[in-house]
Amino acid sequence: MTHSEYLSQFITQQNFQSIPPQVIERAKLHLLDTFGVALAGSVQANGINSRTSLVEMPHTQGECRIWGSPFTLSPAYAAMANGIASHVLDFDDTHTDSIVHGSAVLAPLVMALAEDLKLDSRAMLAAYVVGWEVAARVGIASKGSFHQRGFHSTAIAGVFGAVSSATHLLKLSPEACAHAIGLTGSQASGVAEYLTNSSSAKCFHAGWSAHSGLISAYMAKGGMTGPLTIFEGRYGLYVTHGIKENAKPAEVYAELGERWEIMHVSIKPYPCCHFAHATVDCARMLRQEGITPDNIENIHCVVDPIAAALICEPLENKFAPQTPYAAKFSLPYLVASGIYDDGLNLSSFQPQQLTRPEVLAMAKKVSYRYCQPGEIPFPTYFPGYIDVTLKDGTKVSKRLDINYGNPDNPMQRSDVERKFRDNVAGILTQEATEKIIKLVSDLENQSVTELAKLLTDTVK
């Protein structure tokens, strides 16, 4: 069998009962986090602009709800709108090994399709897990080479997760499922050039992946065919979008049903690029030990080249980010802001925050170097490691090998619920906020329709 045929066997054989209870519990926690992040994103400019565009586009109408708004769209466009909102703030979860933001793609898709087809929450949960298992493995098999080639891993691997969730919910045969995966290969796109001007393209990637996965599944359902060797073929994904010599295509189906990759997904404590989180926490350690910003001469960060390409390069453009989105990918700004404010939150990226003289002065003291082989545990984790020189000449080093929010250094449920409340404050009614937390904790016994309604129970 080809790699996609192995995947299809897994996708079509899974159901709620076949998935371990602890995996279901983890899935519910990540769904709650994603709903909160998407609602916070729904009031941002990119969330509003994309939603307005899709509502105004001819023939996009339908009955699937757009979270945080009174609008409804067809399933494919609802998945796109909610997917964009889920990724707007870069506050959504991340699978570290694959560098994939899967929930921003998968949660909107499974909600839209379950709502449209009147499916129960158990089917939706199973499809969400299945999508994560495929998306993560497609990213893992690239061995970082999607990013090295200048692609956004979420856009490349995420679309395969999306089609897997969709084919599962549509109950396609294994043969049709394999063709859907093949068709999806032609939809894998998303270049990292968004970094040059902090454009809306990055969040569009998540929404487009959700949309494209759904379209590909319906195409296969109707009889369209795709290449069955989309992963290992002469012009397969890892040749066209990755680096052939580095990639391990067979890992797309490794240990399916035995190793559950959703258990290795990190929840973000900060609304910025995940690569920077542990470095910010290292900087916070200085403050917690009584080292004030005035005592610091310089901060030298140790960063993996893959991460550096996003958050450090070119360094001269990172010292004074011109937009909130650029700030999310500026290690100097993030470290400096984190030191002064003892952490980062949504308000850290308000436009007025970007011009604080003390933060900008500290940002210019931040530099970096590439890590040596084996020096830091990247990409298993997104670690932080800084060498600091104080003004009196004292040298201080801080490192955090396992970023907070990683399953090996996890956010507790209470932390995730607090994050959800903070994200939806002023957007959802307080009653809806508490009902969603309670409903999602018992989602397998609850109504998808009721959840969708609550996600639109806004203050205004």
Side-chain angles (χ1 to χ4, degrees), residues 351-370:
Q352 63 270 22
Q353 296 294 313
L354 305 187
T355 57
R356 295 163 64 189
E358 69 277 15
V359 171
L360 295 179
M362 177 59 68
K364 289 184 179 179
K365 298 180 180 181
V366 178
S367 59
Y368 78 100
R369 68 171 173 84
Y370 288 164

PDB file of all heavy atoms in Angstrom, residues 351-370:
ATOM      1  N   PRO A 351      -1.146  48.887  19.529  1.00  0.00           N
ATOM      2  CA  PRO A 351      -0.229  49.779  18.798  1.00  0.00           C
ATOM      3  C   PRO A 351       0.552  50.733  19.688  1.00  0.00           C
ATOM      4  O   PRO A 351       1.740  50.984  19.450  1.00  0.00           O
ATOM      5  CB  PRO A 351      -1.180  50.534  17.856  1.00  0.00           C
ATOM      6  CG  PRO A 351      -2.303  49.574  17.622  1.00  0.00           C
ATOM      7  CD  PRO A 351      -2.497  48.862  18.928  1.00  0.00           C
ATOM      8  N   GLN A 352      -0.097  51.260  20.725  1.00  0.00           N
ATOM      9  CA  GLN A 352       0.595  52.223  21.589  1.00  0.00           C
ATOM     10  C   GLN A 352       1.743  51.600  22.370  1.00  0.00           C
ATOM     11  O   GLN A 352       2.665  52.292  22.808  1.00  0.00           O
ATOM     12  CB  GLN A 352      -0.386  52.899  22.547  1.00  0.00           C
ATOM     13  CG  GLN A 352      -1.081  51.974  23.531  1.00  0.00           C
ATOM     14  CD  GLN A 352      -2.380  51.401  23.004  1.00  0.00           C
ATOM     15  OE1 GLN A 352      -2.588  51.347  21.784  1.00  0.00           O
ATOM     16  NE2 GLN A 352      -3.272  50.988  23.903  1.00  0.00           N
ATOM     17  N   GLN A 353       1.694  50.262  22.540  1.00  0.00           N
ATOM     18  CA  GLN A 353       2.755  49.576  23.269  1.00  0.00           C
ATOM     19  C   GLN A 353       4.046  49.480  22.458  1.00  0.00           C
ATOM     20  O   GLN A 353       5.134  49.314  23.025  1.00  0.00           O
ATOM     21  CB  GLN A 353       2.297  48.166  23.659  1.00  0.00           C
ATOM     22  CG  GLN A 353       1.122  48.126  24.620  1.00  0.00           C
ATOM     23  CD  GLN A 353       1.478  48.702  25.978  1.00  0.00           C
ATOM     24  OE1 GLN A 353       2.507  48.381  26.550  1.00  0.00           O
ATOM     25  NE2 GLN A 353       0.631  49.573  26.481  1.00  0.00           N
ATOM     26  N   LEU A 354       3.952  49.578  21.143  1.00  0.00           N
ATOM     27  CA  LEU A 354       5.107  49.361  20.283  1.00  0.00           C
ATOM     28  C   LEU A 354       6.085  50.529  20.281  1.00  0.00           C
ATOM     29  O   LEU A 354       7.210  50.395  19.769  1.00  0.00           O
ATOM     30  CB  LEU A 354       4.651  49.094  18.847  1.00  0.00           C
ATOM     31  CG  LEU A 354       3.647  47.961  18.631  1.00  0.00           C
ATOM     32  CD1 LEU A 354       3.440  47.722  17.145  1.00  0.00           C
ATOM     33  CD2 LEU A 354       4.095  46.684  19.313  1.00  0.00           C
ATOM     34  N   THR A 355       5.691  51.649  20.863  1.00  0.00           N
ATOM     35  CA  THR A 355       6.554  52.839  20.825  1.00  0.00           C
ATOM     36  C   THR A 355       7.110  53.205  22.198  1.00  0.00           C
ATOM     37  O   THR A 355       7.660  54.288  22.360  1.00  0.00           O
ATOM     38  CB  THR A 355       5.767  54.036  20.263  1.00  0.00           C
ATOM     39  OG1 THR A 355       4.586  54.251  21.057  1.00  0.00           O
ATOM     40  CG2 THR A 355       5.349  53.790  18.821  1.00  0.00           C
ATOM     41  N   ARG A 356       6.981  52.331  23.161  1.00  0.00           N
ATOM     42  CA  ARG A 356       7.505  52.625  24.501  1.00  0.00           C
ATOM     43  C   ARG A 356       9.024  52.761  24.440  1.00  0.00           C
ATOM     44  O   ARG A 356       9.726  51.807  24.085  1.00  0.00           O
ATOM     45  CB  ARG A 356       7.104  51.529  25.477  1.00  0.00           C
ATOM     46  CG  ARG A 356       5.604  51.438  25.711  1.00  0.00           C
ATOM     47  CD  ARG A 356       5.205  50.105  26.330  1.00  0.00           C
ATOM     48  NE  ARG A 356       5.764  49.928  27.658  1.00  0.00           N
ATOM     49  CZ  ARG A 356       5.695  48.774  28.330  1.00  0.00           C
ATOM     50  NH1 ARG A 356       5.128  47.708  27.778  1.00  0.00           N
ATOM     51  NH2 ARG A 356       6.224  48.673  29.528  1.00  0.00           N
ATOM     52  N   PRO A 357       9.576  53.917  24.799  1.00  0.00           N
ATOM     53  CA  PRO A 357      11.021  54.153  24.659  1.00  0.00           C
ATOM     54  C   PRO A 357      11.877  53.153  25.441  1.00  0.00           C
ATOM     55  O   PRO A 357      12.906  52.684  24.934  1.00  0.00           O
ATOM     56  CB  PRO A 357      11.205  55.575  25.195  1.00  0.00           C
ATOM     57  CG  PRO A 357       9.860  56.209  25.064  1.00  0.00           C
ATOM     58  CD  PRO A 357       8.865  55.121  25.281  1.00  0.00           C
ATOM     59  N   GLU A 358      11.434  52.807  26.656  1.00  0.00           N
ATOM     60  CA  GLU A 358      12.247  51.904  27.469  1.00  0.00           C
ATOM     61  C   GLU A 358      12.296  50.498  26.867  1.00  0.00           C
ATOM     62  O   GLU A 358      13.324  49.815  26.922  1.00  0.00           O
ATOM     63  CB  GLU A 358      11.720  51.862  28.911  1.00  0.00           C
ATOM     64  CG  GLU A 358      10.367  51.198  29.114  1.00  0.00           C
ATOM     65  CD  GLU A 358       9.157  52.093  28.833  1.00  0.00           C
ATOM     66  OE1 GLU A 358       9.355  53.164  28.208  1.00  0.00           O
ATOM     67  OE2 GLU A 358       8.041  51.730  29.243  1.00  0.00           O
ATOM     68  N   VAL A 359      11.178  50.059  26.286  1.00  0.00           N
ATOM     69  CA  VAL A 359      11.141  48.732  25.664  1.00  0.00           C
ATOM     70  C   VAL A 359      11.999  48.710  24.405  1.00  0.00           C
ATOM     71  O   VAL A 359      12.766  47.769  24.167  1.00  0.00           O
ATOM     72  CB  VAL A 359       9.688  48.320  25.363  1.00  0.00           C
ATOM     73  CG1 VAL A 359       9.652  47.053  24.513  1.00  0.00           C
ATOM     74  CG2 VAL A 359       8.917  48.107  26.656  1.00  0.00           C
ATOM     75  N   LEU A 360      11.905  49.754  23.590  1.00  0.00           N
ATOM     76  CA  LEU A 360      12.692  49.807  22.364  1.00  0.00           C
ATOM     77  C   LEU A 360      14.189  49.892  22.672  1.00  0.00           C
ATOM     78  O   LEU A 360      15.021  49.308  21.955  1.00  0.00           O
ATOM     79  CB  LEU A 360      12.253  51.000  21.508  1.00  0.00           C
ATOM     80  CG  LEU A 360      10.820  50.918  20.967  1.00  0.00           C
ATOM     81  CD1 LEU A 360      10.483  52.167  20.160  1.00  0.00           C
ATOM     82  CD2 LEU A 360      10.627  49.676  20.105  1.00  0.00           C
ATOM     83  N   ALA A 361      14.535  50.604  23.732  1.00  0.00           N
ATOM     84  CA  ALA A 361      15.947  50.688  24.123  1.00  0.00           C
ATOM     85  C   ALA A 361      16.465  49.316  24.563  1.00  0.00           C
ATOM     86  O   ALA A 361      17.592  48.920  24.222  1.00  0.00           O
ATOM     87  CB  ALA A 361      16.124  51.713  25.236  1.00  0.00           C
ATOM     88  N   MET A 362      15.643  48.576  25.317  1.00  0.00           N
ATOM     89  CA  MET A 362      16.034  47.239  25.747  1.00  0.00           C
ATOM     90  C   MET A 362      16.114  46.295  24.562  1.00  0.00           C
ATOM     91  O   MET A 362      17.010  45.439  24.486  1.00  0.00           O
ATOM     92  CB  MET A 362      15.044  46.708  26.787  1.00  0.00           C
ATOM     93  CG  MET A 362      15.317  45.286  27.260  1.00  0.00           C
ATOM     94  SD  MET A 362      16.948  45.088  28.017  1.00  0.00           S
ATOM     95  CE  MET A 362      16.724  46.049  29.509  1.00  0.00           C
ATOM     96  N   ALA A 363      15.201  46.433  23.610  1.00  0.00           N
ATOM     97  CA  ALA A 363      15.202  45.553  22.434  1.00  0.00           C
ATOM     98  C   ALA A 363      16.532  45.646  21.682  1.00  0.00           C
ATOM     99  O   ALA A 363      17.032  44.636  21.170  1.00  0.00           O
ATOM    100  CB  ALA A 363      14.044  45.906  21.513  1.00  0.00           C
ATOM    101  N   LYS A 364      17.128  46.825  21.622  1.00  0.00           N
ATOM    102  CA  LYS A 364      18.394  46.994  20.911  1.00  0.00           C
ATOM    103  C   LYS A 364      19.558  46.318  21.620  1.00  0.00           C
ATOM    104  O   LYS A 364      20.636  46.165  21.042  1.00  0.00           O
ATOM    105  CB  LYS A 364      18.677  48.480  20.722  1.00  0.00           C
ATOM    106  CG  LYS A 364      17.751  49.139  19.712  1.00  0.00           C
ATOM    107  CD  LYS A 364      18.115  50.588  19.486  1.00  0.00           C
ATOM    108  CE  LYS A 364      17.192  51.223  18.437  1.00  0.00           C
ATOM    109  NZ  LYS A 364      17.522  52.652  18.222  1.00  0.00           N
ATOM    110  N   LYS A 365      19.337  45.900  22.866  1.00  0.00           N
ATOM    111  CA  LYS A 365      20.376  45.183  23.609  1.00  0.00           C
ATOM    112  C   LYS A 365      20.302  43.669  23.393  1.00  0.00           C
ATOM    113  O   LYS A 365      21.114  42.923  23.946  1.00  0.00           O
ATOM    114  CB  LYS A 365      20.257  45.485  25.103  1.00  0.00           C
ATOM    115  CG  LYS A 365      20.442  46.960  25.463  1.00  0.00           C
ATOM    116  CD  LYS A 365      20.296  47.175  26.967  1.00  0.00           C
ATOM    117  CE  LYS A 365      20.484  48.636  27.334  1.00  0.00           C
ATOM    118  NZ  LYS A 365      20.368  48.843  28.798  1.00  0.00           N
ATOM    119  N   VAL A 366      19.324  43.244  22.626  1.00  0.00           N
ATOM    120  CA  VAL A 366      19.101  41.812  22.412  1.00  0.00           C
ATOM    121  C   VAL A 366      19.739  41.373  21.096  1.00  0.00           C
ATOM    122  O   VAL A 366      19.495  41.975  20.043  1.00  0.00           O
ATOM    123  CB  VAL A 366      17.593  41.482  22.401  1.00  0.00           C
ATOM    124  CG1 VAL A 366      17.374  39.993  22.126  1.00  0.00           C
ATOM    125  CG2 VAL A 366      16.948  41.884  23.725  1.00  0.00           C
ATOM    126  N   SER A 367      20.559  40.333  21.160  1.00  0.00           N
ATOM    127  CA  SER A 367      21.174  39.750  19.975  1.00  0.00           C
ATOM    128  C   SER A 367      20.987  38.237  20.030  1.00  0.00           C
ATOM    129  O   SER A 367      20.357  37.714  20.955  1.00  0.00           O
ATOM    130  CB  SER A 367      22.660  40.108  19.894  1.00  0.00           C
ATOM    131  OG  SER A 367      23.338  39.629  21.053  1.00  0.00           O
ATOM    132  N   TYR A 368      21.548  37.521  19.059  1.00  0.00           N
ATOM    133  CA  TYR A 368      21.361  36.071  19.033  1.00  0.00           C
ATOM    134  C   TYR A 368      22.504  35.397  18.303  1.00  0.00           C
ATOM    135  O   TYR A 368      23.270  36.026  17.580  1.00  0.00           O
ATOM    136  CB  TYR A 368      20.041  35.713  18.362  1.00  0.00           C
ATOM    137  CG  TYR A 368      20.078  35.794  16.850  1.00  0.00           C
ATOM    138  CD1 TYR A 368      20.234  34.649  16.071  1.00  0.00           C
ATOM    139  CD2 TYR A 368      19.991  37.025  16.199  1.00  0.00           C
ATOM    140  CE1 TYR A 368      20.283  34.718  14.686  1.00  0.00           C
ATOM    141  CE2 TYR A 368      20.050  37.110  14.813  1.00  0.00           C
ATOM    142  CZ  TYR A 368      20.190  35.953  14.062  1.00  0.00           C
ATOM    143  OH  TYR A 368      20.252  36.024  12.694  1.00  0.00           O
ATOM    144  N   ARG A 369      22.601  34.102  18.504  1.00  0.00           N
ATOM    145  CA  ARG A 369      23.475  33.241  17.721  1.00  0.00           C
ATOM    146  C   ARG A 369      22.762  31.917  17.495  1.00  0.00           C
ATOM    147  O   ARG A 369      21.848  31.556  18.234  1.00  0.00           O
ATOM    148  CB  ARG A 369      24.812  33.003  18.430  1.00  0.00           C
ATOM    149  CG  ARG A 369      24.727  32.162  19.703  1.00  0.00           C
ATOM    150  CD  ARG A 369      26.103  31.782  20.220  1.00  0.00           C
ATOM    151  NE  ARG A 369      26.056  31.118  21.522  1.00  0.00           N
ATOM    152  CZ  ARG A 369      25.841  29.815  21.698  1.00  0.00           C
ATOM    153  NH1 ARG A 369      25.624  29.030  20.643  1.00  0.00           N
ATOM    154  NH2 ARG A 369      25.834  29.285  22.903  1.00  0.00           N
ATOM    155  N   TYR A 370      23.178  31.192  16.454  1.00  0.00           N
ATOM    156  CA  TYR A 370      22.632  29.858  16.217  1.00  0.00           C
ATOM    157  C   TYR A 370      23.171  28.889  17.277  1.00  0.00           C
ATOM    158  O   TYR A 370      24.331  28.973  17.695  1.00  0.00           O
ATOM    159  CB  TYR A 370      23.046  29.335  14.844  1.00  0.00           C
ATOM    160  CG  TYR A 370      22.374  29.999  13.668  1.00  0.00           C
ATOM    161  CD1 TYR A 370      22.890  29.844  12.388  1.00  0.00           C
ATOM    162  CD2 TYR A 370      21.219  30.778  13.820  1.00  0.00           C
ATOM    163  CE1 TYR A 370      22.290  30.438  11.286  1.00  0.00           C
ATOM    164  CE2 TYR A 370      20.610  31.377  12.740  1.00  0.00           C
ATOM    165  CZ  TYR A 370      21.152  31.211  11.480  1.00  0.00           C
ATOM    166  OH  TYR A 370      20.556  31.798  10.392  1.00  0.00           O
TER     167      TYR A 370
END
